[in-house]
């Protein structure tokens, strides 16, 4: 049965549904992995996307530690994905871990130089760091 969302803001309702369905998908993928005993390359790609989506869902809910956990799991499966580094950097900037955020944005840019989001966020985080020094 579908739950009514009349009493909660629309954005919150959508992230709640997203979390529910993404977590369900993750559990299904995990059960496939347990059956076969290994992750095939195609399945690793699906895992990585699923983990990143769960990370974004938790970030939007302000659950930063859980978001970081999902992003770091995705990074293990796909260590050359600049978007995952960028996502980690963004969450770290939200938690005010600015030095670590700079490191992750640098890694993202090392993999994809033309990443506008990482460039903009790196500049913003460096400005925040500089204002702390002054």
């Amino acid at each position: 049965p579908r739950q009514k969302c009349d009493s909660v803001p629309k954005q919150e309702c959508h992230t709640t549904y997203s979390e529910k369905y993404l977590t369900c998908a993750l559990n299904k993928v995990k059960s496939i992995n347990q059956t076969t005993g290994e992750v095939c390359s195609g399945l690793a790609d699906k895992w990585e996307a699923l983990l990143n989506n769960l990370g974004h869902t938790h970030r939007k809910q302000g659950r930063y530690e859980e978001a970081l956990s999902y992003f770091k799991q995705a990074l293990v499966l796909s260590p050359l994905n600049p978007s995952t580094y960028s996502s980690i950097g963004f969450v770290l900037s939200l938690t005010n871990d600015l030095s670590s955020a700079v490191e992750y944005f640098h890694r993202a840019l090392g993999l994809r130089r033309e990443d506008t989001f990482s460039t903009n966020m790196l500049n913003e985080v460096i400005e925040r760091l500089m204002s702390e020094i002054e």
Side-chain angles (χ1 to χ4, degrees):
R2 190 170 168 143
Q3 179 183 354
K4 298 239 183 217
C5 289
D6 299 334
S7 61
V8 295
K10 187 176 183 179
Q11 178 68 23
E12 185 178 325
C13 179
H14 288 296
T15 56
T16 302
Y17 282 130
S18 297
E19 179 183 8
K20 176 183 172 185
Y21 292 112
L22 291 169
T23 301
C24 180
L26 179 61
N27 289 333
K28 287 181 181 183
V29 172
K30 282 181 178 178
S31 70
I32 292 168
N33 183 41
Q34 289 170 351
T35 303
T36 63
E38 60 183 42
V39 178
C40 66
S41 63
L43 195 54
D45 291 341
K46 289 178 182 21
W47 265 80
E48 184 258 341
L50 183 59
L51 291 166
N52 272 320
N53 284 326
L54 277 163
H56 289 300
T57 299
H58 284 85
R59 173 188 48 81
K60 289 176 183 178
Q61 294 174 344
R63 295 161 58 188
Y64 301 131
E65 289 303 316
E66 291 169 86
L68 284 173
S69 174
Y70 283 116
F71 288 135
K72 288 180 179 180
Q73 289 175 60
L75 204 53
V76 169
L77 293 173
S78 184
L80 298 177
N81 184 341
S83 296
T84 305
Y85 284 103
S86 170
S87 297
I88 292 171
F90 185 50
V91 173
L92 291 169
S93 73
L94 293 172
T95 62
N96 216 31
D97 185 352
L98 302 180
S99 296
S100 296
V102 166
E103 181 182 329
Y104 277 93
F105 287 128
H106 273 289
R107 289 182 183 179
L109 290 166
L111 294 168
R112 185 174 57 209
R113 285 176 141 341
E114 69 281 355
D115 184 346
T116 305
F117 177 76
S118 291
T119 300
N120 292 338
M121 285 303 302
L122 179 60
N123 289 333
E124 179 185 316
V125 170
I126 290 173
E127 285 178 22
R128 287 169 57 192
L129 277 168
M130 295 303 292
S131 70
E132 287 180 3
I133 295 171
E134 295 172 353

